[in-house]
């Protein structure tokens, strides 16, 4: 398998800082829950949240992943539920990557059903051309072509999450 750099560590740092500024401006003076979608978004969420300038609570949700596949099964189940009371709160779902849109749509519907006032999404990466269901995240780090990427939290069969940049994994 070949690995080629798509987004460098410097580009990531710069863009995540910009996103944090944008989000901090929009949510200034209001409470926010950052909901990290495990496991892929953990590095992105950690970097994003620590650059936010308003009060922010942190919570986690885990949903079923691709397993060891490069393609989505299309079936989404919740493996770990969030702990915080979301009723009347602003929730920012922090996701690693949006591909078909199926996962983020499920998470959004679920968080809305827990009574959140406003639900928005910050996605580190977006593959808009890969959508099977319509979904437009409010904040996007980088839009990329439909290809399989790893690094900065993103895995293939649990490997490569610790690579500090984004790479394309090809056969
Ligand atoms: P979706 O439900 O939008 O098809 O897929 C979303 C989830 O699939 C992401 O949160 C991520 O966990 C995984 N995923 C989608 N595309 C990629 C990719 O290119 N690389 C990796 N490592 N995971 C991906
Ligand atoms: Mg994910």
């Amino acid at each position: 398998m070949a690995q080629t750099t798509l987004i460098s560590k410097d580009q990531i740092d710069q863009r995540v800082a910009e996103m944090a500024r944008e989000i901090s401006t929009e949510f200034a003076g209001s409470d926010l829950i950052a909901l990290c979608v495990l496991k892929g978004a953990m590095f992105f969420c950690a970097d994003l949240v620590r650059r936010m300038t308003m009060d922010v609570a942190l919570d986690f949700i885990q949903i079923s992943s691709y397993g060891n596949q490069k393609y989505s099964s299309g079936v989404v189940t919740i493996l770990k539920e969030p702990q915080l009371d979301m009723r009347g709160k602003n929730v920012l779902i922090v996701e690693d990557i949006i591909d078909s849109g199926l996962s983020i749509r499920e998470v959004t519907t679920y968080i809305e059903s827990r009574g959140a006032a406003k639900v928005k999404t910050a996605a580190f990466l977006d593959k808009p051309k890969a959508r099977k269901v319509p979904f437009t995240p409010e904040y996007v780090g980088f839009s990329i072509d439909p290809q399989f990427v790893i690094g900065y939290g993103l895995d293939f069969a649990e490997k490569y999450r610790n690579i500090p940049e984004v790479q394309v994994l090809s056969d």
Side-chain angles (χ1 to χ4, degrees):
M1 274 204 263
Q3 295 167 236
T4 48
T5 301
L6 184 67
I7 307 168
S8 73
K9 188 181 177 303
D10 282 352
Q11 287 175 293
I12 294 172
D13 288 347
Q14 213 182 333
R15 183 70 191 119
V16 173
E18 277 171 14
M19 292 176 84
R21 279 196 292 273
E22 221 182 302
I23 293 164
S24 298
T25 304
E26 171 154 355
F27 289 96
S30 69
D31 280 343
L32 184 67
I33 297 174
L35 182 70
C36 177
V37 184
L38 295 171
K39 304 175 202 172
M42 63 165 285
F43 296 101
F44 171 51
C45 188
D47 287 345
L48 187 70
V49 164
R50 89 182 100 180
R51 289 181 169 104
M52 290 181 186
T53 52
M54 74 298 198
D55 289 338
V56 56
L58 188 56
D59 206 348
F60 300 90
I61 188 171
Q62 187 169 12
I63 55 174
S64 59
S65 70
Y66 284 15
N68 293 350
Q69 312 284 310
K70 275 198 194 174
Y71 304 98
S72 177
S73 61
V75 180
V76 180
T77 49
I78 292 165
L79 303 176
K80 185 221 169 285
E81 295 194 5
Q83 301 299 307
L84 298 177
D85 183 0
M86 304 206 160
R87 282 173 295 179
K89 298 284 173 59
N90 298 320
V91 178
L92 181 72
I93 300 170
V94 182
E95 177 61 298
D96 53 359
I97 184 163
I98 302 178
D99 188 75
S100 69
L102 289 162
S103 305
I104 190 64
R105 193 187 59 169
E106 283 301 309
V107 174
T108 302
T109 305
Y110 174 73
I111 297 306
E112 281 169 355
S113 78
R114 294 188 43 149
K118 212 198 265 181
V119 183
K120 297 209 171 182
T121 297
F124 172 57
L125 299 175
D126 189 14
K127 295 192 234 179
K129 289 180 199 146
R131 285 293 191 285
K132 291 185 182 139
V133 294
F135 189 90
T136 308
E138 283 79 10
Y139 308 97
V140 174
F142 302 90
S143 281
I144 63 170
D145 286 331
Q147 52 198 341
F148 196 83
V149 292
I150 50 149
Y152 196 60
L154 290 143
D155 75 313
F156 177 58
E158 293 301 326
K159 256 170 71 177
Y160 310 120
R161 291 194 199 276
N162 55 325
I163 293 174
E165 60 176 23
V166 176
Q167 300 177 344
V168 177
L169 189 68
S170 52
D171 311 302

